[in-house]
């Protein structure tokens, strides 16, 4: 039987808007994933440390404050530095398309905007996970 | 001269003629039976349910039966009088329209000052300051945690210097200013008082509102610094100071807006907000103030969401409940203590990133609901707020939207035009009754602070938000452009405002220069005096003002108190 997908959901920075991330947490759980939520006001260090300690497959960050161009690259770099680039970083929030593309080019996974269906996020995580396990078997 | 009061006895011919020309008045139960035979009883249309945005089921028809228990004199009445259902002023918008007040602030203090002059020139009547996250959390712009957030979702304020720039060329004796800040609210108020003081304006001339509502931060918006008890102490300080020195200033804007945005239903918004209000009243009383001394300066702030009638019922019920509790429970005698004045903002959470122009009509009927609910002031959201901070064009359309509602729609011609509607009156009563049940639940849990510690509000909000999202995803609730009438590749053609990264550098540089130019010994001495006063548990307002005068920074002042009060940490609950 396949192992359950483990996801760390994080709120980095000073942003306190946690409605979205809690909805996502509930939806991912309902989809059978293991979800760990960091709580608010995490620094990039704290997020990466938690991700490694909890041995997760995914880190999802929610940023609605406009600080995404600072926080996503920092977490991405820290994951690389700590040799944890196998952890897939994705996210959501108020992120203009152009900036979402820039971040995706830097190696961040999908960034979901307002109005996204939780089903799409579940599908996305599952498809990335199955690609990875296929790669691992080769 | 004929006697007009004498009636002629009807003859048999008169009676017959009458019976032929006037059929007997039909009976209500017969009419109802006829209608029930033909009505369509399905509870969905095209798959979506007949429920409010808060998932309250709505009947297909309301009749006098739904108003059977609603007595005009005790439940509806006249505006400006108990029970205040119809509004807090006897003439409402026939005497004075609501204040069109757009919340704004971004980037550097200079940029914000420029935007304010623009808005004032466009007919805006009051200012409403949005601060950036570091300011709201009590960090200076050069703090490590401020990285990437300086000036991004509001203006950065590090010291009195920045406040002086923001209000440059604006007469603080004339304008009314609302400041949306909570954890460090007392400090910002001190900055504002000192800016005015330097222009020769006294605190008793200042008009405006400080949000200063920390309870809803723990419940919903999550911008706190200290734990609840010392936070409530700081609020009591501002209530006490405001009562004595600032008779025209609203010391707290007790806010349901953020509770709603975080996912609550309309009734939860109403009940949690009023429960917070009662907690502040109790804090004022505990300071030894008389309720009629400070309650007149408490104001409220509600959301205007998508469900038109549900929102109107919410505002009408809110006024009734506040008046009743203030009189009966807290012994308020002055009508100003129990009439509820409130600001409204249209629901940010109801805006869609898809086909953003659709947000203009959404905001329009939300603004109409606020006006029909009797709001005292209003902020209408810009169509592009799900994408970025409002651009100048979008902000102007938003302001124009409420000017259109005010001057062209005709809804301001008469007071509380929806009164007497079977539906609206019944929904108002239902909302009121449901809110009372929530007050009982909060009471049972030991009050607002205890309920916060138990995570009660936080869990309820998460639950309501998830219910809403699932309804959208199942298609039970339609969101145009998101789950119905979807357009692929719809290009967004509105220019987005982007805060330049240079803002952070400029702000940090300005802070560095300030620290060089000011008398640092004096700053240290003044901060030391603040520390001692905090340890003695004195009212800290005069000490904050002294810190402002010597240009101590927000971060320095907050840090003094962080050492004494500690920092709040919320246990992560999902």
């Amino acid at each position: 039987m396949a192992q359950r997908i483990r996801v760390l959901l994080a709120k980095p920075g000073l942003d306190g808007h946690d409605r979205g991330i809690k909805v996502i947490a509930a939806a991912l759980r309902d989809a059978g994933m293991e979800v760990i939520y960091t709580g608010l006001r995490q620094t990039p260090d704290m997020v990466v440390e938690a991700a490694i300690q909890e041995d997760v497959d995914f880190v999802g960050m929610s940023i609605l404050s406009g600080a995404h161009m600072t926080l996503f690259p920092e977490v991405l770099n820290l994951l690389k530095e700590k040799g944890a680039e196998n952890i897939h970083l994705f996210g959501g929030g108020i992120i203009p398309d152009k900036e979402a593309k820039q971040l995706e080019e830097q190696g961040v996974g999908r960034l979901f905007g307002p109005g996204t269906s939780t089903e799409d996020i579940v599908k996305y995580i599952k498809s990335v996970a199955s690609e990875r396990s296929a790669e691992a078997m080769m | 001269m004929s006697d007009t009061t004498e009636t002629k006895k009807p003859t048999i011919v008169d009676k017959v003629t009458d019976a032929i020309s006037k059929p007997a008045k039909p009976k209500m139960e017969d009419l109802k039976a006829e209608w029930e035979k033909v009505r369509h009883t399905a509870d969905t249309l095209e798959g979506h349910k007949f429920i409010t945005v808060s998932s309250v089921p709505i009947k297909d028809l309301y009749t006098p039966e739904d108003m059977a228990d609603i007595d005009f004199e005790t439940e509806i009445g006249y505006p400006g009088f108990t029970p205040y259902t119809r509004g807090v002023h006897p003439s409402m918008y026939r005497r004075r329209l609501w204040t069109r007040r757009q919340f704004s602030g971004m980037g550097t203090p200079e940029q914000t000052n420029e935007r304010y002059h623009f808005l004032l020139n466009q007919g805006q009547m009051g200012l409403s300051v949005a601060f950036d996250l570091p300011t709201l959390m009590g960090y200076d712009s050069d703090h490590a945690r401020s990285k990437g957030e300086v000036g991004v979702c509001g203006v950065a304020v590090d010291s009195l210097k920045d406040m002086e720039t923001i209000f440059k060329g604006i007469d603080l004796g004339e304008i009314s200013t609302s400041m949306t800040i909570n954890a460090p609210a007392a400090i910002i108020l001190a900055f504002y008082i000192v800016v005015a003081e330097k222009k020769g304006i006294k605190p008793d001339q200042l008009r405006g509102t400080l949000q200063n509502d920390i309870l809803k931060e723990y419940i919903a918006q999550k911008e706190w610094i200290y734990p609840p008890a010392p936070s409530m102490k700081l609020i009591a300080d501002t209530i006490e100071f405001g009562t004595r020195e600032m008779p025209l200033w609203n010391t707290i804007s007790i806010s349901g807006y953020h509770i709603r945005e975080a996912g609550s239903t309309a009734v939860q918004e109403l009940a949690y907000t009023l429960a917070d209000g009662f907690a502040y009243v109790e804090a004022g009383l505990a300071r030894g103030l008389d309720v009629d001394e400070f309650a007149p300066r408490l104001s409220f702030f509600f959301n205007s969401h998508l469900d038109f009638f549900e929102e109107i019922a919410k505002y009408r019920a809110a006024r009734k409940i506040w008046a009743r509790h203030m009189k009966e429970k807290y012994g308020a005698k002055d009508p100003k203590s129990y009439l509820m004045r409130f600001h409204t903002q249209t629901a940010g959470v109801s805006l869609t990133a898809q086909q953003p122009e659709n947000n203009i009509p959404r905001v329009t009927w939300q603004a109409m609901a606020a006006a029909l609910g009797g709001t005292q002031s209003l902020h209408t959201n810009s169509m592009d707020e799900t994408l970025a901070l409002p651009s100048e064009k979008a902000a102007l359309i938003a302001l124009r939207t409420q000017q259109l509602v005010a001057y062209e729609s005709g809804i301001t011609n008469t007071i509380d035009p929806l009164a007497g509607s079977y539906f609206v009156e019944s929904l108002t009563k239902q909302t009121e009754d449901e809110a009372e049940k929530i007050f009982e639940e909060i009471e049972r849990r030991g009050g607002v602070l205890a309920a916060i510690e138990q995570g009660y509000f936080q869990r309820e909000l998460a639950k309501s938000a998830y219910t809403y999202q699932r309804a959208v995803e199942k298609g039970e609730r339609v969101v145009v452009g998101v789950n119905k009438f979807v357009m692929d590749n719809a290009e967004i053609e509105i220019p987005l405002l982007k805060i330049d990264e240079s803002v952070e550098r400029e702000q940090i540089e300005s802070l560095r220069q300030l620290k060089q130019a000011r008398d640092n010994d004096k700053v240290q001495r003044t901060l030391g005096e603040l520390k001692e006063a905090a340890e003695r548990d004195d009212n800290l307002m005069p000490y904050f003002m002294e810190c402002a005068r010597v240009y101590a920074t927000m971060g320095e002042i907050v840090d003094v108190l962080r050492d004494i009060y500690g920092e709040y940490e919320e246990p992560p609950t999902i």
Side-chain angles (χ1 to χ4, degrees):
Chain A
M1 206 180 78
Q3 264 208 315
R4 295 226 286 175
I5 299 170
R6 288 172 68 81
V7 184
L8 180 82
L9 292 178
K11 281 294 292 180
L14 300 178
D15 178 26
H17 292 91
D18 59 0
R19 173 183 181 151
I21 202 162
K22 287 186 173 181
V23 166
I24 303 299
L28 299 189
R29 270 189 192 162
D30 284 354
M33 300 179 199
E34 294 242 25
V35 179
I36 302 127
Y37 173 48
T38 60
L40 296 169
R41 312 266 138 68
Q42 305 293 301
T43 61
D45 277 314
M46 290 156 86
V47 173
V48 171
E49 197 161 311
I52 292 167
Q53 242 170 34
E54 295 285 352
D55 191 23
V56 295
D57 311 294
F58 292 82
V59 173
M61 298 207 299
S62 160
I63 303 173
L64 287 87
S65 70
H68 48 270
M69 295 307 282
T70 309
L71 294 166
F72 276 105
E74 276 192 27
V75 169
L76 195 67
N77 289 340
L78 279 169
L79 284 171
K80 272 186 207 146
E81 264 174 44
K82 307 250 156 124
E85 58 263 74
N86 60 320
I87 298 175
H88 182 87
L89 176 67
F90 72 104
I94 307 288
I95 301 168
D97 282 351
K98 222 194 265 168
E99 293 179 351
K101 279 198 194 92
Q102 282 173 32
L103 290 171
E104 283 165 19
E105 277 161 21
Q106 290 175 36
V108 179
R110 276 277 290 281
L111 297 169
F112 296 95
T116 303
S117 142
T118 57
E119 241 172 78
D120 288 346
I121 299 173
V122 169
K123 269 189 219 149
Y124 171 77
I125 294 176
K126 286 188 173 163
S127 77
V128 174
S130 68
E131 263 172 46
R132 296 206 157 182
S133 58
E135 275 169 28
M137 288 207 284
M138 285 200 291
Chain B
M1 222 163 67
S2 66
D3 187 354
T4 50
T5 57
E6 198 192 338
T7 45
K8 226 175 81 186
K9 210 176 161 201
T11 65
I12 191 83
V13 177
D14 289 336
K15 282 184 186 167
V16 171
T17 320
D18 252 19
I20 296 165
S21 62
K22 281 192 222 157
K25 190 182 164 195
K27 287 201 177 72
M28 182 142 89
E29 53 267 37
D30 297 337
L31 296 175
K32 189 176 172 186
E34 288 287 313
W35 172 71
E36 279 177 341
K37 269 189 269 172
V38 296
R39 71 193 268 247
H40 187 62
T41 53
D43 62 358
T44 56
L45 178 71
E46 299 172 25
H48 70 265
K49 290 182 175 172
F50 301 110
I51 52 176
T52 68
V53 80
S54 306
S55 298
V56 176
I58 296 298
K59 298 198 293 181
D60 51 353
L61 192 76
Y62 289 77
T63 67
E65 287 178 355
D66 298 288
M67 272 184 70
D69 301 332
I70 299 170
D71 184 49
F72 178 81
E73 287 78 6
T74 58
E75 305 284 345
I76 304 171
Y78 281 81
F81 292 91
T82 301
Y84 292 102
T85 312
R86 312 197 64 180
V88 290
H89 299 303
S91 305
M92 290 304 291
Y93 306 136
R94 288 183 66 119
R95 183 157 175 266
R96 188 174 179 274
L97 285 167
W98 64 87
T99 305
R100 277 80 68 200
R101 192 197 297 277
Q102 301 293 89
F103 180 49
S104 65
M106 72 290 171
T108 61
E110 289 79 8
Q111 289 169 326
T112 297
N113 178 259
E114 220 171 275
R115 176 66 70 96
Y116 288 172
H117 282 284
F118 168 78
L119 287 169
L120 291 171
N121 289 336
Q122 294 302 322
Q124 176 161 307
M125 303 152 78
L127 294 177
S128 177
V129 190
F131 297 98
D132 70 358
L133 273 171
T135 308
L136 296 174
M137 299 293 298
Y139 296 112
D140 284 342
S141 298
D142 60 357
H143 193 281
R145 300 206 73 149
S146 305
K147 205 172 159 198
E149 321 241 25
V150 176
V152 174
C153 53
V155 61
V157 172
D158 290 318
S159 74
L160 182 70
K161 182 173 137 187
D162 296 329
M163 286 289 271
E164 289 173 317
T165 307
I166 291 171
F167 295 104
K168 205 164 151 190
I170 296 165
D171 184 353
L172 300 188
E174 282 298 314
I175 196 90
S176 92
T177 304
S178 167
M179 292 187 282
T180 298
I181 188 160
N182 297 281
I187 301 166
I188 279 286
L189 178 62
F191 285 4
Y192 190 77
I193 294 168
V194 175
V195 172
E197 174 185 279
K198 289 189 148 189
K199 295 179 178 178
I201 298 157
K202 296 200 181 70
D204 64 4
Q205 293 169 267
L206 296 176
R207 288 187 306 125
T209 304
L210 192 63
Q211 193 162 81
N212 202 23
D213 171 11
I214 198 70
L215 292 172
K216 66 96 174 51
E217 294 298 329
Y218 300 116
I219 294 173
Q221 189 171 238
K222 320 280 171 102
E223 282 151 14
W224 53 64
I225 300 175
Y226 318 113
S231 294
M232 286 298 277
K233 174 246 170 346
L234 291 173
I235 286 174
D237 283 0
T238 56
I239 293 177
E240 191 177 32
F241 182 86
T243 301
R244 308 233 152 102
E245 313 279 340
M246 305 179 82
L248 306 178
W249 192 268
N250 297 314
T251 45
I252 315 181
S253 168
I254 306 155
S255 307
Y257 184 81
H258 320 80
I259 293 172
R260 191 66 179 282
E261 290 289 297
S264 86
T265 64
V267 172
Q268 286 170 334
E269 176 195 354
L270 168 63
Y272 298 173
T273 308
L274 268 67
D276 289 349
F278 301 136
Y280 294 126
V281 169
E282 285 166 22
L285 294 173
R287 269 294 160 101
L289 298 170
D290 183 88
V291 67
D292 287 323
E293 279 184 287
F294 68 90
R297 297 321 300 174
L298 300 177
S299 63
F300 286 82
F301 173 20
F302 291 112
N303 196 299
S304 188
H305 214 292
L306 286 166
D307 201 293
F308 193 68
F309 293 108
E310 180 171 59
E311 294 307 284
I312 295 166
K314 178 185 76 184
Y315 306 124
R316 298 175 90 243
R319 277 192 295 268
K320 271 171 103 174
I321 300 172
W322 183 247
R324 190 172 60 241
H325 283 244
M326 288 303 283
K327 275 194 275 191
E328 292 173 7
K329 189 164 178 201
Y330 298 106
K333 301 261 175 343
D334 180 353
K336 289 200 193 83
S337 302
Y338 50 76
L339 56 81
M340 167 187 271
R341 294 166 300 124
F342 66 94
H343 172 71
T344 306
Q345 180 172 341
T346 58
V349 79
S350 72
L351 305 179
T352 61
Q354 294 73 14
Q355 306 171 35
E357 292 87 348
N358 293 348
N359 294 326
I360 300 172
R362 284 191 181 101
V363 167
T364 309
W365 80 73
Q366 291 167 353
M368 291 180 80
L372 289 167
T375 195
Q376 274 60 61
S377 59
L378 177 63
H379 168 103
T380 33
N381 288 330
S382 300
M383 62 171 155
D384 54 358
E385 287 184 41
T386 57
L387 306 163
L389 284 186
S391 62
E392 198 161 281
K393 182 176 180 192
L396 184 61
I397 292 173
L399 175 62
R400 290 286 181 260
T401 301
Q402 48 174 311
Q403 290 162 335
L404 287 161
V405 170
Y407 293 98
E408 294 190 6
S409 75
I411 64 167
T412 56
N413 284 335
T414 190
I415 301 160
D416 189 27
L418 293 173
S421 147
Y422 307 126
F423 175 42
V424 171
E425 292 300 353
S426 146
L427 198 57
T428 302
K429 187 82 182 113
Q430 189 184 332
T431 305
E432 193 184 342
D433 295 345
E434 292 297 318
E436 289 291 345
K437 283 185 209 154
I438 298 178
F439 296 143
E440 281 163 27
E441 172 68 18
I442 295 169
E443 199 67 29
R444 206 178 56 72
R445 291 174 172 272
V448 173
L449 284 182
I452 288 169
E453 279 162 24
Q454 295 155 18
Y456 163 69
F457 300 111
Q458 299 90 314
R459 271 194 312 277
E460 290 294 314
L461 294 191
K463 229 191 299 177
S464 301
Y466 193 45
T467 306
Y468 180 87
Q469 181 64 26
R470 286 175 53 105
V472 171
E473 293 187 9
K474 281 192 271 175
E476 291 172 357
R477 186 182 295 292
V478 173
V479 182
V480 171
V482 172
N483 66 0
K484 203 168 187 143
F485 313 113
V486 179
M487 284 161 77
D488 289 331
N489 311 318
E491 279 293 313
I492 295 161
E493 284 174 20
I494 41 184
L496 294 183
L497 180 86
K498 171 79 192 144
I499 300 297
D500 200 81
E501 281 153 37
S502 64
V503 167
E504 187 159 321
R505 285 198 305 276
E506 278 172 37
Q507 192 62 21
I508 291 171
E509 175 54 22
S510 154
L511 181 59
R512 197 189 59 79
Q513 285 174 8
L514 172 87
K515 285 182 178 170
Q516 256 178 2
R518 67 185 186 179
D519 181 343
N520 281 305
D521 289 340
K522 222 188 212 175
V523 170
Q524 288 314 314
R525 244 188 350 263
T526 313
L527 290 171
E529 283 159 14
L530 170 66
K531 180 168 185 276
E532 286 164 21
E535 281 161 351
R536 286 194 305 270
D537 211 22
D538 286 358
N539 187 318
L540 299 182
M541 277 307 294
Y543 297 91
F544 291 146
M545 283 157 65
E546 203 44 46
C547 290
R549 289 184 190 108
V550 300
Y551 293 90
T553 67
M554 172 66 87
E556 289 167 338
I557 300 168
V558 167
D559 278 348
V560 168
L561 301 184
R562 272 200 185 101
D563 288 345
I564 300 171
Y565 298 149
E567 280 187 273
Y568 180 68
E569 242 177 82
E570 183 192 50
T573 49
I574 46 169

